[in-house]
Amino acid sequence: MKKLTGLARTFAAAAVLVSVSVPAVRAQDVTEDQIKTARATIAALGVTNTFDNILPRLAERLKNTLIQSSPNHQELITATVDEKALALAARRADLEREAATIYAKTFSVEELNAITEFYSSPAGKKLLDNGPIASRELLKAADIWAAGVSRDLTNDATKSLDATIGAAAPAADAGTAAPAQQ
C-alpha cells in the first residue's frame, strides 16, 4: 500500500508541475459576452473535442501503473480510480473556459461571430470534415511535384554543366597534357 501512496504522490506532483508550467490566461481580461461568443466559436470549430479523452487516458494510465505495483488489488484500484476520475470530470468545464478565454483574447467579437457563422454553415462543416483529407492529399501532391521538379532541375543543371564543363575540359586537358610531354 506504501507503493500506492508513493505513486499517487508522484502523479500529484507531476500534475502540480504541469499546472504551474502552463501559463494561465486571466479571465478578468475579457467580458462574459466575449466568453459566450468564443464558446459558440469553439463549439462550431470543435477545437476542444480532442481533449475529451484526456481524463479517461490519465485514469487508465494510473490504473495500469497502480495495478502493476499491486496486482492483487486490481478491483479496488479500478473502482477507486474510476470514482476519482468521475469526480474530476466536472473540471472539464475549466478547460472550456480557458479555451473560450484564449479565443476571446485572440479574436474580436465580430471575428468570432464571423468564424462561428462560417463554420456552422454547410461549407464550413464540410471544410472541418474534409479539410484534413484535402490537406493530406495536397501534401502528397506537393511531394510528387517536388520530386519531379528535383529530377528536372538535376537533369537540366547536369546537362548544362556537362556541356559547359565538357567544352572547357578538352582545352584544360590539352593545356595540362602539353607540359607533361616536355
Side-chain angles (χ1 to χ4, degrees), residues 132-146:
I133 296 167
S135 293
R136 186 175 55 243
E137 293 300 316
L138 178 57
L139 289 174
K140 281 187 206 176
D143 285 344
I144 293 167
W145 175 83

Side-chain angles (χ1 to χ4, degrees), residues 3-128:
K3 288 182 183 178
L4 291 177
T5 304
L7 287 172
R9 284 187 191 140
T10 301
F11 276 103
V16 169
L17 288 174
V18 168
S19 67
V20 169
S21 66
V22 176
V25 178
R26 291 187 209 117
Q28 64 266 25
D29 293 342
V30 294
T31 67
E32 281 305 313
D33 283 342
Q34 288 173 301
I35 294 291
K36 182 180 175 184
T37 306
R39 284 182 189 267
T41 302
I42 288 167
L45 292 170
V47 294
T48 59
N49 294 351
T50 58
F51 306 133
D52 289 345
N53 292 323
I54 291 175
L55 183 56
R57 282 194 315 253
L58 291 172
E60 198 59 37
R61 189 176 335 151
L62 179 58
K63 283 189 273 188
N64 289 336
T65 302
L66 296 175
I67 289 168
Q68 285 179 357
S69 297
S70 299
N72 53 333
H73 297 289
Q74 180 174 351
E75 289 180 22
L76 176 62
I77 291 168
T78 299
T80 302
V81 172
D82 286 346
E83 174 189 336
K84 299 302 178 184
L86 201 54
L88 292 172
R91 289 179 52 186
R92 177 66 165 80
D94 296 341
L95 181 58
E96 291 293 324
R97 173 79 181 181
E98 287 297 319
T101 301
I102 291 166
Y103 270 70
K105 284 183 158 193
T106 305
F107 302 101
S108 70
V109 171
E110 294 78 22
E111 291 168 332
L112 289 168
N113 284 328
I115 293 166
T116 303
E117 183 179 336
F118 173 73
Y119 283 101
S120 296
S121 73
K125 288 177 182 177
K126 186 170 184 175
L127 178 60
L128 286 172

Side-chain angles (χ1 to χ4, degrees), residues 146-156:
V149 168
S150 176
R151 179 199 63 231
D152 294 346
L153 176 61
T154 301
N155 290 341
D156 292 349

